[in-house]
Amino acid sequence: VQMDDEGWYSVTPEAIANHHASRCASALACDLFTGAGGDVIALAKTCGRVLAIDNNHDRLGMAVHNAKVYGVSERIDFICGDSVALLHSIKPDVLYMSPPWGGMEYNKSGKEYSLGNINVAGIDGFELLKRCIALTPHVALFLPRNTSVEELATFAEEVGIPCEVEHNWVPSERGSLRLKAITVYFGKLAQPALGR
């Protein structure tokens, strides 16, 4: 498997990526921020086809290599380009995204993380999500564990689509579980809360 320093830091743990893929199973999915390919490889196992978009040519090359290692490259169309600029030209059933969180410093402030902290092609996470939902309401969004859940619920209410927040846990070095991140599912990907 090929990965650079940023890839090792930002890759979604394989168990979580596989879980995301099971929730995002569809005929055509799109990973807007492919990186070295961890999520897109998992999506290729559950989806008919996957569009893999990244603006970093070298990192996308790693994703191509890694998809070959996992034997799923024939189900993936790799596109080097600006995800935001390409949104108008794609029509996936499901959009998956793990946008840049702001590097290793994203949680150093001790404050809640906001969609407003995301900056992709000059737009924040709110605008990015609005554009994605305009394309398809079926969106999965992988975010830092300290993201404001209240902010996400308010956003979903404002745009009028179902939303589910899932906490993603991984084993710690001590054997206990630690919260790695959250995943927010919109549209048909959102499961109703138990007891409702």
Side-chain angles (χ1 to χ4, degrees):
V1 173
Q2 293 180 351
M3 211 142 355
D4 60 7
D5 288 342
E6 184 176 326
W8 282 115
Y9 168 74
S10 62
V11 68
T12 304
E14 192 168 359
I16 294 174
N18 288 335
H19 174 72
H20 289 159
S22 71
R23 296 279 307 263
C24 294
S26 60
L28 179 62
C30 179
D31 180 352
L32 289 178
F33 304 98
T34 298
D39 295 303
V40 79
I41 289 166
L43 287 166
K45 296 175 185 176
T46 64
C47 299
R49 290 221 53 84
V50 183
L51 303 175
I53 303 173
D54 202 278
N55 65 358
N56 184 302
H57 185 268
D58 294 337
R59 210 163 285 127
L60 198 63
M62 292 176 205
V64 171
H65 170 83
N66 296 340
K68 287 177 183 174
V69 169
Y70 277 84
V72 295
S73 60
E74 72 283 349
R75 298 176 77 175
I76 304 170
D77 295 312
F78 294 93
I79 303 165
C80 189
D82 179 342
S83 303
V84 175
L86 291 168
L87 276 177
H88 72 280
S89 63
I90 59 174
K91 291 288 181 196
D93 302 309
V94 170
L95 273 173
Y96 174 85
M97 61 178 159
S98 178
W101 296 352
M104 295 185 356
E105 303 297 316
Y106 79 88
N107 67 350
K108 299 288 187 204
S109 71
K111 298 178 184 175
E112 281 189 317
Y113 187 83
S114 168
L115 288 178
N117 295 113
I118 296 170
N119 182 354
V120 177
I123 64 170
D124 68 17
F126 293 107
E127 182 61 26
L128 175 63
L129 192 50
K130 285 177 189 172
R131 291 182 189 190
C132 290
I133 288 170
L135 184 63
T136 177
H138 316 302
V139 175
L141 178 59
F142 191 56
L143 292 169
R145 64 182 168 261
N146 61 326
T147 301
S148 171
V149 174
E150 184 177 306
E151 180 182 83
L152 294 165
T154 300
F155 175 86
E157 189 175 314
E158 287 173 0
V159 296
I161 62 170
C163 168
E164 172 198 356
V165 176
E166 174 181 82
H167 292 84
N168 304 121
W169 299 86
V170 294
S172 72
E173 293 174 5
R174 295 183 216 137
S176 59
L177 293 177
R178 71 176 180 86
L179 182 60
K180 170 68 176 170
I182 65 170
T183 306
V184 188
Y185 298 99
F186 295 93
K188 72 177 181 182
L189 302 178
Q191 297 178 351
L194 295 175
R196 285 192 183 172

